[in-house]
């Protein structure tokens, strides 16, 4: 397979889609009620899904695995694991979404949405091309993340942050697509409930909300002497505001001091590096000077020894003469 695998589906010998081997929790009481309702309704025989027409004559005793990747799709016969059908979906582009869907005539098809904007439909299990429609290219990643296929050849995606686009590849549902539009519910403010008297709320049978102000406030009557009355004031709030402003000023001052300290540290580091460079240069110059001085001393010593040797040799020659 070329590319990343996007979808894997299994078909039985009759061409029906094999569902996952899981069992969901069910409410037995609810099933019993539904069973009683179903007994009253006329029962209809179940309809077995059909597959698309194919030229193969060996499909009665086989199962199929439909594997779809970003580039191609394969139908593998089980349990022999041989590739029965193969279709190359995209060469220069790649498949964004792939799914096995059922059409209104109960046929199973492979629906793919390609990044170049094409929506292709293949029959199963023969992978025969049924539809290739140039729709919307993948210019926005939101379309690729939200594109979903559903039953009866329908699909939807989020074309904008506030809009959902629906489409169908079935001609039977294309005319009635406008009738299946959803309703938009706009939230609105709930109107206030009408005011009710205290005793009406207290002695009413229905549960209602009691106002605390009516029970314990000034409207409840003359308070007792032992109950203190709360007198709100603004001194506390002003003190809190002044304290918050003081704390804010201290934080700003601390931040400024930290910035200045960082600047001083960077300047000290720069001066330290310059001093290290100057020290290295001074050490190098001193080393060169020392070498030069040693060389000069050595040359002067050699010259002195040469002069002394020459003088001795001349003096010796003169005595011999």
């Amino acid at each position: 397979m070329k590319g990343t695998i996007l979808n894997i589906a299994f078909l039985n010998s009759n061409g029906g889609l094999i569902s996952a081997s899981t069992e969901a929790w069910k409410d037995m009481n609810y099933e019993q009620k539904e069973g009683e309702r179903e007994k009253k309704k006329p029962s209809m025989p179940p309809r077995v899904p059909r597959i698309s027409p194919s030229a193969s004559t060996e499909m009665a005793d086989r199962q199929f695995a439909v594997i779809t990747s970003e580039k191609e799709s394969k139908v593998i016969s089980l349990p022999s694991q041989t590739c029965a059908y193969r279709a190359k979906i995209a060469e220069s582009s790649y498949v964004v979404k792939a799914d096995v869907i059922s059409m209104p005539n109960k046929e199973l098809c492979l629906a793919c949405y390609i990044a170049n904007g094409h929506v292709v439909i293949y029959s199963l299990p023969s992978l025969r091309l049924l539809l290739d429609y140039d729709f919307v290219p993948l210019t926005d990643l939101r379309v690729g993340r939200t594109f979903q296929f559903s039953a009866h050849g329908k699909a939807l995606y989020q074309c904008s942050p506030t809009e959902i686009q629906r489409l169908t590849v079935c001609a039977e549902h294309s005319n009635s697509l406008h009738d299946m539009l959803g309703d938009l519910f706009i939230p609105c403010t709930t109107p206030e409930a009408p005011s009710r008297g205290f005793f009406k709320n207290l002695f009413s049978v229905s549960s209602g909300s009691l106002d605390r102000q009516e029970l314990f406030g000034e409207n409840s009557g003359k308070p007792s002497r032992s109950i203190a009355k709360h007198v709100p004031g603004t001194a506390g709030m002003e003190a809190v505001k002044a304290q918050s402003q003081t704390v804010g000023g201290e934080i700003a001052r601390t931040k400024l001091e930290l910035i200045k300290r960082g600047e001083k540290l960077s300047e000290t580091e720069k001066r330290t590096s310059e001093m290290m460079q100057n020290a290295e240069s001074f050490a190098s110059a001193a080393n060169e000077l020392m070498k030069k001085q040693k060389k000069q001393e050595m040359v002067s010593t050699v010259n002195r020894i040469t002069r002394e040797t020459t003088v001795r040799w001349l003096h010796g020659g003169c005595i011999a003469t």
Side-chain angles (χ1 to χ4, degrees):
M1 298 292 293
K2 295 181 180 180
T4 306
I5 295 177
L6 300 178
N7 182 265
I8 299 177
F10 295 93
L11 307 179
N12 56 20
S13 58
N14 296 326
L17 187 64
I18 300 177
S19 58
S21 58
T22 56
E23 184 178 357
W25 179 84
K26 298 180 181 180
D27 189 2
M28 301 304 295
N29 297 329
Y30 180 79
E31 288 186 355
Q32 185 176 1
K33 294 178 182 179
E34 289 294 328
E36 294 177 357
R37 294 178 183 177
E38 291 294 335
K39 288 180 182 179
K40 299 179 182 180
K41 297 181 181 180
S43 60
M44 297 181 66
R47 301 181 63 182
V48 180
R50 299 178 300 168
I51 61 175
S52 303
S54 174
S56 176
T57 59
E58 302 177 0
M59 291 189 301
D61 300 330
R62 294 188 302 181
Q63 294 180 349
F64 302 96
V66 183
I67 304 176
T68 307
S69 67
E70 293 180 345
K71 296 293 184 180
E72 59 182 355
S73 179
K74 290 183 180 180
V75 176
I76 300 176
S77 178
L78 299 177
S80 62
Q81 299 183 5
T82 58
C83 184
Y85 303 97
R86 178 179 179 181
K88 187 175 293 185
I89 302 175
E91 295 182 0
S92 60
S93 185
Y94 62 94
V95 179
V96 179
K97 184 69 178 180
D99 198 0
V100 176
I101 61 174
S102 62
M103 302 301 288
N105 55 359
K106 298 299 179 180
E107 291 184 357
L108 295 179
C109 297
L110 176 64
C112 302
Y113 172 62
I114 309 175
N116 56 11
H118 286 255
V119 177
V120 293
I121 307 295
Y122 290 91
S123 62
L124 289 178
S126 60
L127 291 181
R128 181 168 52 89
L129 183 61
L130 301 178
L131 176 67
D132 186 357
Y133 183 74
D134 189 4
F135 184 54
V136 177
L138 186 62
T139 56
D140 190 358
L141 294 179
R142 184 187 298 107
V143 178
R145 291 195 302 264
T146 59
F147 199 97
Q148 294 291 335
F149 288 102
S150 61
H152 306 297
K154 300 175 184 177
L156 57 88
Y157 65 94
Q158 190 175 3
C159 57
S160 69
T162 58
E163 294 177 327
I164 296 178
Q165 181 71 34
R166 296 181 62 182
L167 63 126
T168 179
V169 296
C170 181
E172 297 179 7
H173 292 277
S174 61
N175 297 328
S176 60
L177 190 62
H178 294 283
D179 299 334
M180 294 184 288
L181 295 177
D183 297 330
L184 178 63
F185 294 92
I186 302 175
C188 58
T189 56
T190 306
E192 296 182 359
S195 59
R196 303 175 64 182
F198 169 72
F199 291 102
K200 189 174 183 180
N201 288 331
L202 187 62
F203 297 105
S204 61
V205 180
S206 61
S207 60
S209 60
L210 296 177
D211 192 0
R212 181 184 177 186
Q213 195 68 21
E214 293 182 359
L215 289 175
F216 307 103
E218 297 179 356
N219 300 330
S220 60
K222 187 177 181 180
S224 176
R225 293 181 179 180
S226 60
I227 299 177
K229 184 178 181 181
H230 174 68
V231 180
T234 58
M237 292 300 296
E238 291 178 355
V240 170
K241 289 181 180 179
Q243 186 178 1
S244 64
Q245 291 177 359
T246 305
V247 172
E250 292 294 334
I251 293 174
R253 190 180 302 115
T254 305
K255 185 177 180 181
L256 184 59
E257 292 294 334
L258 289 175
I259 293 173
K260 290 181 179 179
R261 184 179 180 183
E263 292 177 355
K264 290 181 179 179
L265 288 175
S266 60
E267 186 177 355
T268 304
E269 184 178 359
K270 185 178 179 180
R271 290 182 179 178
T272 305
S273 62
E274 290 179 356
M275 290 176 65
M276 290 178 64
Q277 292 178 0
N278 294 334
E280 291 178 357
S281 300
F282 180 76
S284 178
N287 191 14
E288 292 293 333
L289 183 61
M290 183 179 64
K291 290 180 180 179
K292 187 175 181 181
Q293 188 175 2
K294 285 183 178 181
K295 188 176 180 181
Q296 289 179 356
E297 289 179 357
M298 186 180 297
V299 171
S300 61
T301 304
V302 171
N303 293 334
R304 183 174 55 81
I305 294 172
T306 304
R307 286 196 302 268
E308 290 178 356
T309 305
T310 305
V311 169
R312 288 178 183 176
W313 181 78
L314 292 175
H315 183 70
C318 290
I319 293 174
T321 303

